[in-house]
Amino acid sequence: MERTERQEKPTATYFLRRGIRELSSHRPDRAIASLRQAVDAIPPSCSDELSQALYWLSVALLRLDERPLAIKSLASAQKLRRRGHARRLYLRNINEYGMPRQVNSSLDDFYAFTNLQIAYYLGKKSSNRFDSFQEKDAVLRLILDAWKRLSASGQLAGLGACEKLDIFRKMKLHYPSFGLSNTHRVFVRASFGPSRPNSTLKKAAERCNCGSGLPYGQCCGRVQHLKEL
Ligand SMILES: [Zn+2]
């Protein structure tokens, strides 16, 4: 006799349950695949369910040590549901820049600076990415060099994260064309001088406009890790 199986279209709930089950069976990689399907299948209007799926997705990502992606997922989850697991896990894992917390504050500064500068560089390119290993290597060297000069200048001593962020955001580097056509030329100022009166300084420490109750710098104004871009 022919066996008939119920062929139901998998629902968001199905993917969510499957993801949580795989997570509890210590298969975070499979859990991530299921939970991503759940996130895609949940309508944005179902904010509680979406927050829950994003939360479990971040737990799975943390198990695989994918911290930047986990933080990205948690940042969205805690915005949808401002009290609960997601908000607590988010705050436990981020630093003052809204990035994955490092072992010390110098590393927090270093990651914020380098990721911001890389994002600026890529943002000026139409492809939005490095076109060659040589290009990436050259850009990273310039950024690292700028970081060394900045940290050695003593400018950052005694400043809070939002003041440092303001300096990072204003510091524009000059990149050569890397032998590419002129369309790839990216001109930016190199500036180590005293920064002008600024707008981001206030904004980073102030409560975010979105109503999350978090400082802007840890909410909509957080520094994105390159992996999130
Ligand atoms: Zn916000």
Side-chain angles (χ1 to χ4, degrees):
M1 200 174 76
E2 202 173 306
R3 204 166 135 246
T4 52
E5 280 181 38
R6 286 179 68 198
Q7 292 278 337
E8 279 181 25
K9 189 173 174 282
T11 61
T13 313
Y14 166 81
F15 288 125
L16 180 59
R17 285 192 185 141
R18 193 171 72 177
I20 295 171
R21 208 167 49 236
E22 277 157 352
L23 200 51
S24 60
S25 313
H26 308 290
R27 291 192 296 254
D29 46 343
R30 288 199 199 178
I32 288 170
S34 296
L35 293 164
R36 283 203 167 121
Q37 283 175 296
V39 168
D40 289 343
I42 297 170
S45 55
C46 302
S47 55
D48 271 8
E49 289 82 354
L50 193 52
S51 175
Q52 199 190 0
L54 285 163
Y55 167 77
W56 285 110
L57 176 60
S58 72
V59 172
L61 287 162
L62 283 174
R63 294 248 174 107
L64 288 183
D65 211 24
E66 290 282 0
R67 293 177 74 217
L69 293 178
I71 298 293
K72 182 187 185 185
S73 195
L74 276 176
S76 307
Q78 61 89 34
K79 257 186 206 175
L80 293 163
R81 210 159 169 265
R82 289 168 193 165
R83 286 168 201 276
H85 304 309
R87 168 70 57 105
R88 285 197 294 275
L89 192 59
Y90 178 64
L91 291 176
R92 207 158 56 225
N93 279 280
I94 57 164
N95 58 29
E96 287 170 290
Y97 300 107
M99 297 185 80
R101 184 177 291 165
Q102 304 299 324
V103 288
N104 59 50
S105 67
S106 313
L107 271 181
D108 285 334
D109 296 343
F110 171 77
Y111 276 97
F113 178 82
T114 49
N115 281 280
L116 264 181
Q117 294 299 337
I118 295 168
Y120 283 156
Y121 175 80
L122 295 179
K124 302 252 178 196
K125 295 189 65 174
S126 50
S127 63
N128 255 316
R129 59 185 174 82
F130 292 112
D131 294 317
S132 67
F133 171 76
Q134 288 84 349
E135 182 194 6
K136 183 176 181 180
D137 190 50
V139 169
L140 293 186
R141 275 167 198 270
L142 283 167
I143 293 173
L144 283 176
D145 193 49
W147 170 252
K148 279 184 200 156
R149 281 184 288 150
L150 178 64
S151 50
S153 74
Q155 262 196 79
L156 303 178
L159 298 183
C162 59
E163 294 163 302
K164 287 187 256 191
L165 191 57
D166 193 60
I167 293 174
F168 298 167
R169 288 208 158 113
K170 284 195 177 130
M171 204 169 129
K172 306 289 185 195
L173 308 183
H174 169 82
Y175 299 98
S177 66
F178 304 114
L180 302 168
S181 71
N182 280 340
T183 52
H184 289 272
R185 275 179 94 83
V186 184
F187 271 114
V188 229
R189 280 180 303 119
S191 156
F192 289 90
S195 42
R196 286 166 293 169
N198 70 64
S199 49
T200 48
L201 172 59
K202 262 166 81 184
K203 274 174 107 182
E206 273 172 9
R207 301 269 160 230
C208 192
N209 283 342
C210 76
S212 65
L214 292 179
Y216 172 74
Q218 291 185 324
C219 189
C220 302
R222 54 183 288 269
V223 179
Q224 289 195 321
H225 192 280
L226 192 58
K227 282 191 175 176
E228 297 181 41
L229 302 175

